[in-house]
Amino acid sequence: MNTLLDAVRTGRCDLVTSLITPLTDHERRAHLPELTALRAEARAWDWRRRWDAEPTLRALHLAGAGCHTGPAAAASWIAARDLRDARPRDTAPLAALLAGRAPDWRADVAHRLAARTATVADDYPLIRALLDGTQAPAPTTDGFVHAWALATTTATTATDTTPTGRHRPRPRPRPLRVALREDPYTPHLVPHLFETAEPAPSLTWYDTPHTPGRWPAELAHLAAQGTVERRTLIDGSINRLLRGGRTAHLAFYTDLLDLLDLTTDERAEHTADWIALAADAPSPTAGRAQQTLTALFEAGRLPADRLAEMSQAVLFRPEKKLVRAQLVLLGKALRRRAEDRSTLLPATAAAFGHPDTVLQEKALKLVATHLRPGDDALRTDLAFEAEHLGPALRRTAADLLGAIADPTDPTGPAGYEETLPAAPARRPLTTAGRSLAETVELVAALARTNAATAEETETALDLLVRHAHQDRTALAAALLPALADRHWARQDAGHADPDHLSGPELLAAAVLGRLDPADLAPQRPINGRGFGQHCIHDALQRVTTARAREAALRVLTDPLPFLLATPTWDCGTLEPQDLITRLTAYTRQGRVPAPADFAQALLRVRRDPHAAAQAEALATDEGRRLAAWLTADGAPAPHTRHVTDRGPRTWWGGQQDMPRRIVLELAEHLVIQKEFPAVFHPLGRPRTGTPHCWHWRGQELAHLAVLPQDRETQAVWLLPDLTGCAIGEDRGAGEVLSRLAELGGPAGPALHLAVATALGARHTEDRLAAVDALLVLAATGELDTALLGRDLAELLRLGTVKPNRLADAARTAAATGAYATTWAVLAGALAAVLTDGPARGAGELLAVAADCVEHCGAGGPLPEGLAPAAARKGTSQLATQARRLRIALDTAAAAG
């Protein structure tokens, strides 16, 4: 009878401790084989058994740690994740059991545990207990430093004293100042708070940094007491800021520097660091650095060459506030010492390339104020930099500086040439002739990813069908080892559930005989549900799933030679001639097309009436259906358009007013409803513009290949997601839009409205994708700038699109060289921000419009509301940019 093993199995931790304590090292090691065997047995327990046997696992964890005599093996056993669970673990019994070990042994184990990132936070109390009395230094790993900071922040006293003098356990919070003072590791670990890869989260748990009991205030107190060197905190904070990171994390270090209240000498010692921060740090940190350098300038501790270095860096930043503040500082410096202009004016010229023309104009005025008649060499240098000014300001600069690049040649309006991207290139999708090895490699790769593209999926499906038709036995023999790690591919796994397999996996499982044909019947519900009402994304996924099931069933019952709907091009489009050739081969071989496969082929085929005669000549039902489809009106299903009223919408956090927005509603598509399989019917049903729907995310790009020749219908489906990106916090729909613009079919009002909505998306990546879509339509000659401008005007009036976001998107589009296209769009939208009271951000939008007109020299009538805005007095951005736009339009009209 093994008394120790029995104590472990019964979960008697107290008995385990008493049994192990008197044992010698040799006797302890003798118990390890049995403990290791029990650990292997426990790994096979399911979660219910592990939950019930938690006392056994705790005792096993304790016994194994006590019986290992080597530090490395003991640390490995203690840190093992299979001996832990989510419930808190009392480390006191283990610390008591290991307390009798030699100090060096305990220190070695403690440092090994501290080096384990995954478990160091849970093991922190044990590590401290092991180090107690060893005189060993504290570990300095990132995990241990973070755990120390957290434990110090949440420190509690062990007991509280009652009025009668008796003690009872009642933990209570201990002030951070007391915890830091009483911890012997404080002087050693505080410097390492500035060296971890990421700051300890507990450092930022404060509302106001100067509040006592918060880390910034207490670290400043430690420096004042001399417990930690002041220089350590200053250098550590500045070095951490230079490393960069998230703004919320960097705020702790800037707050600490503010509390330390650096002297002028301490600030001057780090001048180079402040300049680097002003140049490259996130905006809040850069602003603090700029303020520090300004204070050095006021104290006479910032030489002109250092100010010039700082200015050249800051003036390239996009933040207007920082650039304005820097120009003000340069103006002060130039007024203080006019002889520094040869150093400071070239630095000022760095603002000539700033996207904001107002800042360009401020910099040019500063140069004009301080330039002297005899500064010929300086004038030459500035003239070179003036080439980066906008067209209108270049003319002003030419009068001031003399010869610069001719503002009318070649970049000026007279020599302007629109730059648009090349039309998207199509890549052919070829499957015929690809080897068995290529097929197996592709299928194995797709089985291990959730991000397969439509091109990859379609290629894999067709290759599997082709090779299964040629030699299913050989294909199965090649697939089996490649998919050995897939649970459904094991020979003893039984029949797989088709609801949990992707398209390529379904066909592979069919090839391997792991599917029951009854589970693949067309009438069987997908994912436990039929083909009733559900969101469009779910409906599209059901179409692709149903086609894959159909192909898998044919592999088991009547193998097809190939699939009809495999696209010709990577975008999902199927050429009519390819479909006719495949149908001809089916007829020759006596094959009956699979219904879902043929229906998908119709939705993908490019409508070409000239190919209808060949389709009719097939003299089959499918040939006649194809001929009718090719000669039918290719216009998308009609839709209606209306504006919703403002009203409340219930979210998880309560009710929230939704802005008014445009909603499109699709009419019924009768052909799909009457002639296509049932799984396709939801695609032809009327759809309302519901703001949101719930579905599995991540497959939207792949779904575009279901209807690659109907951009309008897909744009109607996508519009609610894009609207959510504009009026809420949603993101990601823009990527779908940029791909949608590259597909076939008419680019009508729904697609233009979708682009207009996405141009006002909240997140930058969605706006960039909308710009891509706009430029693709322009490159292919399908962009209706007047229609897009009217849509933007309506969206601006509704509040769906905000002027500042539209300005950012338009600036990006213009910067690619599409100034004329961008102006043509904005010309129809500006009235919405100028009439009925100028909208917030209208000046920024006018600045982009003026920039476009100055570059391309486009003329045309003044937008409604521009003349009153230009006549406004003052120097507001709205008035300034309205006057600038009017002057540019008048100049273009005179030149024309």
Side-chain angles (χ1 to χ4, degrees):
M1 177 178 179
N2 191 324
T3 307
L4 177 61
L5 190 61
D6 291 341
V8 170
R9 286 189 177 276
T10 56
R12 294 284 306 278
C13 290
D14 54 342
L15 183 57
V16 167
T17 300
S18 62
L19 290 172
I20 292 178
T21 300
L23 298 180
T24 65
D25 286 353
H26 177 74
E27 291 171 335
R28 295 186 184 201
R29 287 194 295 268
H31 289 286
L32 288 176
E34 295 168 333
L35 296 175
T36 302
L38 179 57
R39 178 181 175 183
E41 177 188 334
R43 286 174 178 163
W45 296 345
D46 60 21
W47 68 270
R48 296 183 184 86
R49 175 74 185 280
R50 290 182 63 86
W51 183 268
D52 295 337
E54 174 59 20
T56 300
L57 291 177
R58 289 175 181 258
L60 177 61
H61 185 257
L62 178 64
C67 288
H68 277 95
T69 57
S76 179
W77 185 280
I78 293 171
R81 300 305 295 266
D82 60 310
L83 296 174
R84 302 167 181 248
D85 63 11
R87 286 178 284 191
R89 185 182 297 272
D90 183 10
T91 60
L94 181 54
L97 179 60
L98 300 180
R101 295 283 190 168
D104 291 345
W105 189 93
R106 286 188 283 120
D108 192 352
V109 172
H111 278 264
R112 291 177 185 273
L113 292 176
R116 294 177 175 266
T117 305
T119 56
V120 61
D122 294 336
D123 290 337
Y124 175 79
L126 176 62
I127 296 171
R128 289 300 300 260
L130 290 172
L131 290 172
D132 189 27
T134 64
Q135 305 301 317
T140 56
T141 62
D142 285 10
F144 184 82
V145 173
H146 285 194
W148 173 78
L150 175 61
T152 307
T153 305
T154 58
T156 58
T157 57
T159 59
D160 193 10
T161 303
T162 66
T164 61
R166 298 168 55 189
H167 293 275
R168 63 184 178 187
R170 192 172 70 182
R172 56 187 175 85
R174 182 169 50 159
L176 177 60
R177 179 171 299 184
V178 175
L180 289 171
R181 183 178 65 241
E182 295 179 352
D183 194 327
Y185 289 153
T186 295
H188 177 62
L189 291 181
V190 164
H192 291 283
L193 291 174
F194 305 91
E195 298 174 359
T196 56
E198 294 291 338
S202 54
L203 297 181
T204 61
W205 294 353
Y206 60 85
D207 294 326
T208 55
H210 60 271
T211 302
R214 302 296 184 262
W215 274 98
E218 297 309 327
L219 288 178
H221 178 73
L222 290 177
Q225 283 189 321
T227 305
V228 179
E229 288 189 11
R230 177 182 173 88
R231 175 179 290 275
T232 298
L233 299 182
I234 295 174
D235 292 347
S237 295
I238 294 175
N239 290 336
R240 191 60 186 78
L241 292 172
L242 289 170
R243 285 169 52 189
R246 294 167 53 189
T247 302
H249 289 170
L250 298 181
F252 165 76
Y253 304 102
T254 55
D255 289 340
L256 177 56
L257 289 173
D258 287 344
L259 285 175
L260 291 172
D261 192 17
L262 275 59
T263 65
T264 301
D265 289 339
E266 289 172 332
R267 291 190 176 100
E269 185 180 350
H270 291 278
T271 298
D273 296 329
W274 304 125
I275 293 176
L277 291 172
D280 299 320
S283 186
T285 306
R288 297 280 191 99
Q290 187 184 47
Q291 293 171 6
T292 301
L293 290 166
T294 301
L296 288 175
F297 167 78
E298 298 291 352
R301 302 291 296 273
L302 189 66
D305 58 337
R306 285 294 202 174
L307 178 57
E309 179 185 356
M310 169 198 179
S311 300
Q312 288 175 333
V314 174
L315 294 178
F316 273 111
R317 295 187 65 106
E319 298 94 336
K320 299 176 186 178
K321 180 179 180 180
L322 296 179
V323 175
R324 280 195 296 268
Q326 195 64 29
L327 291 175
V328 170
L329 180 58
L330 283 168
K332 291 181 179 179
L334 287 167
R335 288 192 295 272
R336 178 181 293 183
R337 286 177 54 88
E339 57 271 24
D340 288 338
R341 64 183 181 279
S342 60
T343 301
L344 298 181
L345 287 181
T348 304
F352 290 172
H354 197 276
D356 191 289
T357 55
V358 173
L359 296 176
Q360 291 182 15
E361 186 176 7
K362 287 182 179 294
L364 185 58
K365 288 181 177 179
L366 192 59
V367 169
T369 300
H370 296 280
L371 196 62
R372 298 292 181 263
D375 295 336
D376 295 334
L378 182 56
R379 200 179 301 272
T380 302
D381 293 340
L382 293 172
F384 177 78
E385 296 293 336
E387 296 178 13
H388 299 100
L389 291 166
L393 291 177
R394 281 205 301 271
R395 300 183 185 95
T396 303
D399 296 336
L400 173 67
L401 304 174
I404 63 172
D406 188 347
T408 62
D409 181 34
T411 61
Y416 175 75
E417 183 176 350
E418 186 83 345
T419 302
L420 293 173
R426 302 280 186 244
R427 294 194 319 273
L429 192 153
T430 57
T431 55
R434 298 182 68 168
S435 68
L436 180 63
E438 290 179 281
T439 302
V440 172
E441 181 181 3
L442 177 59
V443 173
L446 296 185
R448 294 169 175 82
T449 181
N450 294 322
T453 64
E455 179 183 2
E456 293 170 336
T457 299
E458 289 294 336
T459 301
L461 293 178
D462 193 58
L463 286 174
L464 285 167
V465 168
R466 288 176 182 270
H467 286 287
H469 178 262
Q470 294 169 8
D471 191 341
R472 177 181 165 184
T473 302
L475 177 59
L479 282 174
L480 192 59
L483 299 173
D485 61 335
R486 304 288 93 185
H487 67 89
W488 52 265
R490 297 200 307 266
Q491 293 183 355
D492 59 346
H495 289 146
D497 184 357
D499 286 340
H500 297 90
L501 300 180
S502 65
E505 287 178 316
L506 272 170
L507 264 72
V511 170
L512 295 174
R514 305 292 189 267
L515 293 176
D516 183 352
D519 292 336
L520 302 173
Q523 65 272 18
R524 183 183 183 275
I526 297 176
N527 293 330
R529 292 187 293 170
F531 305 137
Q533 281 288 352
H534 34 68
C535 84
I536 191 59
H537 307 90
D538 197 21
L540 291 168
Q541 182 60 48
R542 289 169 185 273
V543 166
T544 60
T545 301
R547 179 165 166 260
R549 284 189 177 188
E550 179 186 74
L553 180 61
R554 294 295 292 266
V555 166
L556 295 172
T557 58
D558 182 18
L560 296 169
F562 47 79
L563 294 176
L564 294 175
T566 303
T568 304
W569 305 104
D570 62 317
C571 62
T573 297
L574 174 60
E575 289 296 330
Q577 190 59 51
D578 287 342
L579 181 53
I580 292 171
T581 301
R582 294 170 187 173
L583 287 172
T584 302
Y586 265 47
T587 302
R588 189 185 310 115
Q589 299 179 29
R591 299 289 178 181
V592 178
D597 188 35
F598 180 66
Q600 177 64 92
L602 290 181
L603 293 180
R604 284 179 174 166
V605 72
R606 181 177 60 83
R607 294 181 187 267
D608 182 2
H610 298 91
Q614 288 181 278
E616 189 74 37
L618 293 175
T620 62
D621 290 341
E622 288 76 17
R624 285 185 285 273
R625 286 184 61 190
L626 175 58
W629 185 269
L630 293 174
T631 54
D633 182 11
H639 61 266
T640 59
R641 171 173 173 154
H642 67 272
V643 176
T644 64
D645 293 329
R646 186 185 302 271
R649 178 177 175 82
T650 302
W651 299 86
W652 287 323
Q655 285 195 338
Q656 173 181 326
D657 283 339
M658 292 289 292
R660 300 179 66 199
R661 60 198 182 280
I662 299 175
V663 172
L664 301 181
E665 296 185 3
L666 275 174
E668 187 175 27
H669 197 304
L670 294 178
V671 174
I672 292 179
Q673 290 280 59
K674 294 180 179 179
E675 301 180 11
F676 280 53
V679 71
F680 287 81
H681 291 175
L683 304 186
R685 290 177 183 149
R687 288 277 170 186
T688 59
T690 307
H692 290 295
C693 60
W694 304 104
H695 61 280
W696 291 108
R697 309 289 299 190
Q699 294 297 317
E700 291 87 350
L701 287 175
H703 292 160
L704 293 178
V706 176
L707 284 87
Q709 287 295 304
D710 194 351
R711 285 183 291 187
E712 280 291 279
T713 295
Q714 298 214 55
V716 173
W717 293 338
L718 182 60
L719 183 61
D721 290 339
L722 295 173
T723 303
C725 292
I727 65 177
E729 296 288 343
D730 295 355
R731 66 197 311 162
E735 182 182 8
V736 184
L737 176 64
S738 65
R739 291 287 296 276
L740 178 61
E742 300 177 4
L743 301 185
L751 182 58
H752 280 73
L753 178 60
V755 173
T757 303
L759 288 172
R762 178 182 184 87
H763 297 287
T764 304
E765 62 268 24
D766 288 314
R767 294 199 298 272
L768 289 175
V771 171
D772 287 342
L774 184 153
L775 295 176
V776 165
L777 294 177
T780 56
E782 299 173 294
L783 180 65
D784 187 336
T785 56
L787 173 60
L788 185 58
R790 291 194 298 271
D791 285 339
L792 284 171
E794 185 175 5
L795 292 169
L796 285 165
R797 290 191 175 99
L798 291 173
T800 304
V801 170
K802 292 180 171 53
N804 61 326
R805 296 177 186 172
L806 176 59
D808 178 73
R811 187 183 300 109
T812 302
T816 66
Y819 290 101
T821 300
T822 306
W823 162 245
V825 172
L826 293 181
L830 290 178
V833 297
L834 292 173
T835 57
D836 300 329
R840 182 179 179 183
E844 189 174 354
L845 194 59
L846 287 170
V848 179
D851 196 40
C852 290
V853 175
E854 289 173 355
H855 277 83
C856 69
L862 296 181
E864 183 182 0
L866 180 62
R872 293 165 66 105
K873 296 181 180 180
T875 58
S876 66
Q877 186 182 33
L878 174 65
T880 301
Q881 297 301 332
R883 288 192 289 269
R884 179 186 164 211
L885 176 58
R886 178 165 188 174
I887 291 172
L889 288 172
D890 291 343
T891 302

